[in-house]
Amino acid sequence: LLWVNDGTRDRIAANEQATLLQRLNEIVPPESYNNSPQTDTVQVTAPAELGTTQAVTVYLFRRDGQPVAAVLTVIAPDGYSGNIKLLVGVYYDGRVAGVRAVSHKETPGLGDYIETGRSDWILGFNGRSLVSPSPGDWRVKPDGGVFDAFTGATITPRAVVRAVYKSLLYFEREKTNLFTTDRVES
């Protein structure tokens, strides 16, 4: 078993990196950056905005050294069946580049509509910002906001909307710090 583990470790790591890059490219188009966001990262802790007390990874996208976008790893802690792990991409100007559900335990056929393979609901965040819609409208429609809920599953979209909004607040406050940390891209 050790021999098999040693023989496949590098291949598994390469596959994980390829899958990560594919997910990141779904959020931030590859033609918009020319760095390596899988290695141009920073670890941050912001429990109130990012949903966890653990340090999370922020992937940084640059074009010719200039900030383009960041993809934050976010936890929506209040999903119907627990934590919903998201990747939230934000362009440097504050617009949402894209959102993807990475992992969750939401009810199949109801809460799993946050997955792009099940529905395009999560694409409704693209292009949104802290001012569009207005802060009071960053809620699901049953709560008076602009985002659709799923029939029979309001808790899941409510959690995702809240997590994306908090991510935007965090990014607006910290974007300069995220892109000016003292580190060299690998």
Side-chain angles (χ1 to χ4, degrees):
L1 288 176
L2 289 174
W3 178 78
V4 169
N5 185 43
D6 287 343
T8 59
R9 183 179 310 132
D10 291 341
R11 188 173 7 176
I12 290 169
N15 288 342
E16 288 172 349
Q17 284 299 310
T19 299
L20 172 62
L21 183 59
Q22 179 183 354
R23 278 213 168 134
L24 293 174
N25 285 338
E26 289 176 10
I27 298 169
V28 180
E31 61 273 8
S32 66
Y33 66 91
N34 60 8
N35 68 322
S36 176
Q38 317 93 293
T39 58
D40 192 355
T41 63
V42 62
Q43 296 291 310
V44 300
T45 305
E49 295 99 344
L50 303 181
T52 180
T53 58
Q54 303 296 313
V56 298
T57 303
V58 177
Y59 301 92
L60 304 173
F61 295 76
R62 305 171 198 261
R63 179 150 201 91
D64 300 330
Q66 298 302 307
V68 172
V71 173
L72 301 99
T73 307
V74 177
I75 303 295
D78 47 0
Y80 182 75
S81 297
N83 291 344
I84 301 169
K85 185 176 181 181
L86 303 166
L87 291 175
V88 178
V90 186
Y91 289 115
Y92 199 71
D93 66 5
R95 290 176 299 119
V96 174
V99 180
R100 294 296 183 275
V102 176
S103 65
H104 65 83
K105 294 181 179 154
E106 300 304 280
T107 307
L110 288 173
D112 65 349
Y113 282 103
I114 59 176
E115 297 174 19
T116 56
R118 300 275 300 139
S119 147
D120 63 357
W121 178 83
I122 208 155
L123 303 178
F125 292 104
N126 295 359
R128 305 289 187 145
S129 70
L130 289 174
V131 297
S132 177
S134 66
D137 288 332
W138 271 89
R139 296 178 286 164
V140 293
K141 287 180 180 176
D143 296 339
V146 300
F147 295 94
D148 289 329
F150 314 139
T151 302
T154 305
I155 293 171
T156 302
R158 184 181 289 139
V160 172
V161 169
R162 188 177 305 123
V164 172
Y165 181 71
K166 286 180 177 183
S167 300
L168 289 173
L169 291 171
Y170 173 81
F171 184 77
E172 183 62 28
R173 186 185 76 230
E174 296 294 331
K175 69 181 178 182
T176 302
N177 292 334
L178 291 171
F179 282 95
T180 59
T181 57
D182 293 329
R183 66 187 184 295
V184 176
E185 181 184 343
S186 312

